[in-house]
Amino acid sequence: MSQRNTISLREWGLRPEFEQALAPGELIARVVEEQKTRYLVAAEEGILRGQLAGKLLRPSVDRLERPVVGDWVAIRPLQGESKAVILRVLPRASILRRKAAGETEAIQPLAANVDLTFIVTSLNREFNEKRLHRYLTVAQEAGTRTAVLLTKIDLAPESTSNARALSEKYGVPCVPVCALSGEGLANLGALWSCGETAVFVGSSGVGKSTLVNALLGRLEQETAAVRDDDDRGRHTTTSRRLLLLPNGALVIDTPGLREIQLDAGHAEGLEKSFAAITELARGCRFANCAHETEPGCAVKAALARGELEEEQYASYLKLRRDLGSSERNSAPRPPRIERKRK
């Protein structure tokens, strides 16, 4: 993929505010592929291999200070080579992140400077609304526009009505699509425009890479068929890539996520993704109502009247507990006191 042809960074979404963040002597580039500490960046000289400056490789450097796909970065090209040193990450317009998998409380960035987050989920047996709640929370916290893509509609006869119901429930566009037949793809063009960046996130095998190939009009991303035993797709994408579509819009394809954990910083995103519950909570007797056993709870009253779904209510409480647990685990621990031996 390395090349030396001059390119226009305007095509890659460059805006004046990113250039204004440069220091004298720095050049600007955008991270178009990321795989651990290996990068490809789009610069005026072309697509270059990016290597981190030594200060960014120190163990003490927070992961959020290192580049992620979609980032605009300050670089120093290496003369005579298709390489550049990545000096620092420029201020971000948005950052999509999750709590890293496992027991750690570390944060894992997924994509930066995104205008629109597409949550991709298939309508076959893989569909899981509780997982969708988590993705919505992550997207809302990032401050991006959000839409849900319901893939593999050839396997779900009620796809149109399902999409309409989900859209009304969560207040975001829900678009049924089939990448293989092209059905529904024309509806995506109205959601993001030339120069804007969208990201596809979702579990493995929901059809993200197949959708990217369909939008590109060529076979760019590797794909695999679903398994016969459980309708789940196979994990094929291993790196995050930013790709330029024929209509001038940009899309980031990401590897499938086996789990989407939240951290304490997703509290605002949770309130936004459960906007109906957040609005009901304004009528609770107590400002700090947990919506469980407190008297005068407007949320529980709506649940009793059948105005709120039990599943949605239970999912909201579960995610709130997860956030509370994450906040407690990430809080600084008091220093250990060494007791003198007698």
Side-chain angles (χ1 to χ4, degrees):
M1 189 173 176
S2 181
Q3 60 188 46
R4 295 289 293 184
N5 298 327
T6 301
I7 60 177
S8 169
L9 291 181
R10 302 293 172 189
E11 293 183 348
W12 291 94
L14 181 61
R15 299 169 189 166
E17 58 264 32
F18 296 120
E19 289 183 291
Q20 291 165 6
L22 287 174
E26 294 178 337
L27 298 179
I28 194 168
R30 193 171 195 189
V31 177
V32 298
E33 185 168 345
E34 171 206 358
Q35 194 167 19
K36 295 186 177 178
T37 57
R38 293 182 295 174
Y39 302 90
L40 290 178
V41 299
E44 286 187 351
E45 298 148 294
I47 305 298
L48 309 175
R49 283 179 288 167
Q51 60 187 54
L52 296 179
K55 62 182 179 180
L56 292 177
L57 289 169
R58 295 171 184 163
S60 59
V61 173
D62 189 276
R63 179 62 185 89
L64 290 175
E65 295 179 46
R66 294 183 180 134
V68 65
V69 68
D71 263 324
W72 289 98
V73 293
I75 64 166
R76 184 182 72 249
L78 300 179
Q79 269 195 331
E81 302 183 58
S82 297
K83 296 180 182 178
V85 177
I86 299 174
L87 304 173
R88 64 188 180 95
V89 177
L90 300 180
R92 294 161 170 145
S94 64
I95 180 72
L96 198 73
R97 61 188 180 82
R98 67 164 180 171
K99 188 166 83 72
E103 297 298 323
T104 177
E105 292 298 317
I107 304 302
Q108 180 190 17
L110 303 174
N113 300 314
V114 170
D115 300 290
L116 171 64
T117 299
F118 280 118
I119 302 168
V120 186
T121 181
S122 61
L123 277 174
N124 58 2
R125 283 183 286 170
E126 192 275 338
F127 182 78
N128 184 313
E129 196 164 344
K130 290 181 179 179
R131 185 167 59 236
L132 178 59
H133 294 159
R134 291 178 175 272
Y135 278 108
L136 285 167
T137 297
V138 167
Q140 295 282 10
E141 185 63 39
T144 69
R145 304 196 305 274
T146 307
V148 177
L149 295 185
L150 302 168
T151 64
K152 305 180 183 179
I153 59 177
D154 51 319
L155 303 176
E158 302 298 325
S159 57
T160 301
S161 58
N162 288 338
R164 189 180 301 113
L166 287 172
S167 182
E168 291 175 357
K169 181 185 292 189
Y170 297 110
V172 299
C174 294
V175 185
V177 295
C178 179
L180 296 179
S181 68
E183 185 179 352
L185 292 183
N187 298 325
L188 302 187
L191 296 177
W192 90 111
S193 57
C194 180
E196 289 192 317
T197 300
V199 62
F200 285 174
V201 295
S203 303
S204 298
V206 295
K208 299 186 299 297
S209 295
T210 305
L211 274 173
V212 169
N213 289 337
L215 292 170
L216 286 168
R218 66 177 187 272
L219 185 61
E220 178 74 25
Q221 298 289 78
E222 184 182 353
T223 63
V226 298
R227 300 191 297 252
D228 292 332
D229 56 346
D230 59 4
D231 276 355
R232 290 182 181 271
R234 296 176 173 85
H235 185 89
T236 53
T237 302
T238 58
S239 65
R240 297 178 177 86
R241 298 182 66 189
L242 174 65
L243 299 159
L244 183 61
L245 299 180
N247 67 353
L250 298 120
V251 64
I252 296 174
D253 190 18
T254 63
L257 301 176
R258 291 184 176 85
E259 56 184 67
I260 184 80
Q261 294 191 46
L262 307 181
D263 64 81
H266 285 111
E268 185 176 345
L270 179 66
E271 301 306 313
K272 289 179 180 178
S273 61
F274 287 88
I277 294 179
T278 301
E279 185 60 32
L280 285 170
R282 300 182 192 279
C284 291
R285 182 184 302 176
F286 302 108
N288 62 345
C289 182
H291 318 308
E292 296 190 72
T293 59
E294 295 83 356
C297 175
V299 174
K300 290 296 294 288
L303 186 68
R305 293 193 301 267
E307 298 172 3
L308 179 64
E309 291 183 6
E310 179 71 40
E311 183 180 5
Q312 192 174 8
Y313 167 74
S315 183
Y316 174 78
L317 290 186
K318 172 66 167 63
L319 295 183
R320 273 193 58 164
R321 294 188 192 107
D322 288 352
L323 293 183
S325 175
S326 178
E327 186 173 15
R328 287 190 298 272
N329 291 338
S330 60
R333 296 183 179 180
R336 182 180 176 183
I337 299 175
E338 294 289 343
R339 299 185 181 275
K340 293 181 179 181
R341 295 182 180 178
K342 295 182 179 180

